[in-house]
Amino acid sequence: MGRLKQKGKAGAAKNYTTRSAAVKKLQCSLADFRRLCILKGIFPREPRNRKKANKGSSAPTSFYYTKDIAYLAHEPILKKLREHKAFAKKLSRALGRGEWASAKSLEENKPIYKLDHIIKERYPTFIDALRDIDDALCMAFLFSSLPSSARLPPELVENCARLSAEWQLYTLHTQALRKAFLSIKGVYYQAEVMGETITWLVPYQFTQNVPTDVDIRVMLTFLELYQTLLSFVFFKLYTDSGLVYPPPLDAKKDEGAAGLAALSLQNISRTVPAQTTTTPVVNGRQITGKDVRQTIKAISTDVSMDVSEVQAPLPEEQSDVQEEDFVVHTSKSDPNATSLPTLQSLSSLPGTLSTNLFSPYTFFLSREISRPIFEFILKCFGGRVGWPASSGGGSPFTDSDPSITHVIIDRPVVEKEESADQRELRRRRKYVQPQWVVDCINAGKILLEDNYAQGKSLPPHLSPFGEYEGAYVPMEGGDVSMSAEQDNEEEDEEMEEDNTADGGIDAALSAEVETTAMLRAAELAAEAAGIDSSTFEARVEQIKKKQPQQSQKAKTDDQEEDMNKMMMSNKQRKLYEKVKHGQQKRVNERLKLENRRKELNKKQS
């Protein structure tokens, strides 16, 4: 006889548990339960049947896996949270009784937990941690720009600012930046580190306020985890590059708003302390260097060795052994099979982007330009950057330096009197707007400065991230070229001629109307246009010949698609229809934008 099933003790009722039951089992508060779930990466689940999972009740609630809650019950942080709760009670009682010595002792022995073991659990390998730092970087840059308050202690904001500067310094040192985009939210950056693509967002340098409707406690819990994660990742990246972590900070330069220049990179070899040598003692007598040399000399005289028999190893350049070339052999079973890429072929491929794009140029940032943003971008691509004293200290040169080739400026052109030296200096420089820098990076080449000159209307700033195939791409530059206008005019003229010549025949026959009403209307239109009956009949026969082939092909494709859908399961068919609906939606959006662009071009012309 099989085991009897009891209601509420098998299936979904056993696999899932409600949030209130989880809090009761863990014996912690709701705030501590939320913190534990965030730190451990446990989130609510949606059962297939909520009524069965809730043991017959249909009340709205959140569900968790029962195994996840059992996993949380053995978490060391849960024990620390309970100890902290007892510590808070003891401290409040000591302060209420005026026992200051006892309160001070309790404060010194305050229970503190660490998240090191959680980072090792959630990220078994370093690459896993590197893939997951996108959100961590966004959160660190966000909190580094927020003002300190009662809910945000200044130490937290300073730590986020330090982590942000360390990441920028490493990206600048390795020249890992690949793309950038100036959006309404802020500046999107994309870097490539150890083969992984990392994208993060940096807000603009405006005065930020924490909204009252945002639960800052949840964000602070995420930030607590992200700070530990970034510290682990940065330590690994810096030490693998042979650099000291954390990088030393120059307090004077930092007070002068030097930015990244306040941090200095140091090699590990420079900072290794000299090992203290201790003199060995043998039989109560200290061994000196003279005794060691005499002992070595005595050993060398006793051992006789024929030096001619010892052959020195050949250097690699003089070695006769040559590296064998990889010979590609075609497959016998499949001669059309493509060969796999080799290390030699991959190394010969051109790079995706030149990291020394701005190395031949020297830039000067005007006072209205956001210096931290463009200093970071230009230095990542080899540019030499300077700025006025009002933007902070640490500039390597002033605006009168003759080596300046580009001035990044975002002000309208103002007529003013200039001396001969100033006019000569202005003639030798290029005055461009900030968008030119980002567009050059995304294009992978130096663009013409005339389209981005001071005071000019800028071309569209396109996003370089993840556009799907067949997406709408606006025209580069604000105007349409003459050749494109001429092509559009010729196409419009040809379309008008065809419509006049056909007299609406194409529209009548493409609809596959069985009646002769639309054909009669087309015949009348052709007669009104002065087209001969023989020409009209030839055109009708030509369209009738094309139409069966197109309709037959369309019918064949539809039948094949219907047969494929019949072989699918219900879930696969719904997913397929959803994908096709999304594709058609994107096509319609692209056509709509293209039609709008054509209308604007006609109005401008």
Side-chain angles (χ1 to χ4, degrees):
M1 183 176 178
R3 181 180 299 178
L4 296 176
K5 291 184 179 181
Q6 297 181 5
K7 185 178 180 181
K9 294 187 177 181
K14 183 179 179 182
N15 295 334
Y16 296 93
T17 183
T18 61
R19 188 179 66 178
S20 57
V23 171
K24 185 177 180 181
K25 182 177 181 179
L26 296 176
Q27 297 181 3
C28 62
S29 62
L30 182 58
D32 291 342
F33 176 74
R34 287 175 177 170
R35 177 180 295 183
L36 276 175
C37 290
I38 291 173
L39 296 178
K40 299 291 288 185
I42 294 173
F43 49 91
R45 307 285 181 165
E46 185 64 26
R48 291 185 178 180
N49 193 323
R50 297 179 62 90
K51 193 171 183 180
K52 289 183 179 179
N54 205 9
K55 300 179 181 179
S57 175
S58 59
T61 183
S62 300
F63 294 94
Y64 293 85
Y65 281 146
T66 305
K67 290 186 177 181
D68 288 344
I69 303 304
Y71 177 60
L72 284 180
H74 303 283
E75 175 57 38
I77 295 182
L78 182 60
K79 181 181 178 181
K80 288 290 183 180
L81 293 176
R82 292 168 180 166
E83 292 178 359
H84 189 275
K85 188 175 182 180
F87 156 78
K89 290 181 179 179
K90 292 178 182 178
L91 184 63
S92 62
R93 182 168 59 248
L95 292 175
R97 293 178 178 179
E99 299 174 354
W100 312 117
S102 178
K104 184 179 179 181
S105 177
L106 287 171
E107 185 66 28
E108 292 175 354
N109 298 322
K110 180 180 177 180
I112 299 174
Y113 62 86
K114 293 184 179 181
L115 305 179
D116 300 352
H117 65 286
I118 292 183
I119 300 299
K120 295 177 182 178
E121 289 175 2
R122 297 186 63 173
Y123 307 104
T125 62
F126 177 67
I127 296 298
D128 295 334
L130 196 61
R131 289 196 194 106
D132 205 31
I133 66 170
D134 294 1
D135 293 338
L137 289 173
C138 293
M139 189 75 78
F141 277 96
L142 172 62
F143 274 85
S144 64
S145 62
L146 294 179
S148 59
S149 62
R151 294 190 293 174
L152 293 177
E155 296 82 8
L156 181 67
V157 178
E158 291 177 2
N159 190 36
C160 291
R162 179 185 61 83
L163 291 172
S164 304
E166 289 172 0
W167 170 251
Q168 286 188 329
L169 190 64
Y170 176 80
T171 308
L172 192 150
H173 173 70
T174 56
Q175 292 185 330
L177 189 65
R178 295 294 178 266
K179 295 177 182 178
F181 179 60
L182 306 175
S183 71
I184 298 176
K185 295 180 181 179
V187 183
Y188 284 91
Y189 296 103
Q190 190 175 87
E192 188 176 345
V193 179
M194 298 181 65
E196 298 295 332
T197 302
I198 301 170
T199 307
W200 72 98
L201 173 64
V202 178
Y204 292 116
Q205 289 182 316
F206 297 130
T207 303
Q208 305 289 343
N209 294 320
V210 181
T212 56
D213 57 345
V214 174
D215 192 353
I216 197 66
R217 294 178 300 173
V218 176
M219 298 183 69
L220 288 176
T221 306
F222 276 104
L223 183 64
E224 185 180 8
L225 176 67
Y226 289 155
Q227 283 179 330
T228 310
L229 173 63
L230 292 177
S231 300
F232 269 82
V233 173
F234 292 169
F235 175 78
K236 175 69 174 175
L237 291 175
Y238 271 75
T239 51
D240 286 353
S241 301
L243 302 173
V244 176
Y245 183 80
L249 176 66
D250 192 342
K252 292 184 179 179
K253 290 184 178 180
D254 189 39
E255 291 177 358
L260 292 177
L263 294 172
S264 59
L265 293 174
Q266 294 183 3
N267 294 328
I268 296 177
S269 58
R270 296 181 182 177
T271 58
V272 174
Q275 296 181 357
T276 57
T277 58
T278 58
T279 306
V281 178
V282 177
N283 297 329
R285 177 175 173 268
Q286 292 184 352
I287 304 300
T288 61
K290 184 177 180 181
D291 297 333
V292 174
R293 287 192 296 271
Q294 290 179 356
T295 306
I296 294 173
K297 187 176 180 181
I299 295 173
S300 61
T301 54
D302 292 340
V303 180
S304 60
M305 180 181 296
D306 190 358
V307 183
S308 61
E309 296 179 358
V310 180
Q311 296 181 357
L314 292 174
E316 295 179 0
E317 298 178 357
Q318 299 177 0
S319 177
D320 296 334
V321 181
Q322 297 181 357
E323 186 177 356
E324 295 181 0
D325 295 333
F326 180 78
V327 181
V328 181
H329 296 281
T330 58
S331 175
K332 295 181 181 179
S333 60
D334 189 5
N336 297 326
T338 57
S339 59
L340 295 174
T342 61
L343 181 61
Q344 186 177 2
S345 62
L346 291 176
S347 60
S348 61
L349 291 176
T352 56
L353 181 64
S354 174
T355 55
N356 296 322
L357 190 65
F358 298 134
S359 57
Y361 308 108
T362 302
F363 299 88
F364 188 82
L365 305 177
S366 298
R367 64 177 182 271
E368 72 278 359
I369 302 299
S370 179
R371 176 202 146 196
I373 295 174
F374 288 94
E375 179 191 3
F376 170 65
I377 294 175
L378 291 170
K379 284 186 176 181
C380 281
F381 288 88
R384 189 165 170 257
V385 188
W387 53 86
S390 59
S391 298
S395 176
F397 52 86
T398 60
D399 58 345
S400 59
D401 195 321
S403 64
I404 296 175
T405 58
H406 292 78
V407 177
I408 312 298
I409 192 169
D410 199 13
R411 288 178 292 191
V413 180
V414 178
E415 297 291 338
K416 61 178 181 180
E417 297 182 359
E418 295 180 343
S419 62
D421 296 339
Q422 291 177 345
R423 283 196 298 270
E424 179 63 21
L425 203 61
R426 175 177 284 272
R427 187 184 64 82
R428 290 186 297 176
R429 297 175 178 176
K430 297 286 186 180
Y431 288 79
V432 294
Q433 299 185 48
Q435 184 181 327
W436 176 81
V437 177
V438 183
D439 286 351
C440 287
I441 293 172
N442 298 334
K445 59 183 179 180
I446 300 297
L447 303 176
L448 293 176
E449 293 89 349
D450 297 338
N451 296 331
Y452 301 86
Q454 180 183 3
K456 278 193 173 182
S457 59
L458 294 170
H461 182 52
L462 307 180
S463 171
F465 303 116
E467 294 294 341
Y468 59 90
E469 186 178 357
Y472 169 75
V473 179
M475 290 185 176
E476 295 185 4
D479 301 330
V480 184
S481 61
M482 293 299 295
S483 60
E485 290 180 357
Q486 293 174 359
D487 293 340
N488 291 334
E489 291 177 359
E490 292 177 358
E491 290 178 359
D492 293 340
E493 292 176 359
E494 292 177 358
M495 290 294 293
E496 291 177 0
E497 292 177 358
D498 292 341
N499 292 335
T500 305
D502 296 343
I505 303 172
D506 295 345
L509 296 178
S510 60
E512 298 183 358
V513 180
E514 299 295 339
T515 61
T516 59
M518 294 189 68
L519 184 61
R520 179 61 180 167
E523 186 177 358
L524 292 175
E527 185 179 353
I531 299 176
D532 297 336
S533 59
S534 59
T535 306
F536 175 77
E537 291 177 358
R539 182 61 176 165
V540 169
E541 293 296 330
Q542 183 180 2
I543 293 176
K544 284 185 177 181
K545 289 180 180 179
K546 291 181 179 179
Q547 184 175 353
Q549 297 177 358
Q550 296 176 356
S551 60
Q552 185 66 26
K553 185 178 180 182
K555 288 180 180 178
T556 304
D557 294 340
D558 292 340
Q559 290 176 359
E560 185 177 355
E561 184 178 357
D562 293 339
M563 290 294 293
N564 293 334
K565 289 172 67 175
M566 288 174 62
M567 300 298 294
M568 298 179 184
S569 63
N570 191 20
K571 185 176 181 181
Q572 291 175 343
R573 184 165 56 253
K574 288 181 179 179
L575 181 62
Y576 174 76
E577 292 176 353
K578 188 175 182 180
V579 171
K580 296 293 289 185
H581 176 72
Q583 291 177 354
Q584 187 62 35
K585 187 177 180 181
R586 288 193 291 267
V587 170
N588 294 337
E589 290 177 356
R590 178 175 58 83
L591 294 176
K592 183 179 179 181
L593 293 173
E594 288 179 353
N595 294 333
R596 187 181 299 174
R597 185 183 65 187
K598 289 179 182 179
E599 292 177 0
L600 291 175
N601 293 337
K602 287 181 181 179
K603 290 181 180 180
Q604 292 177 359
S605 60

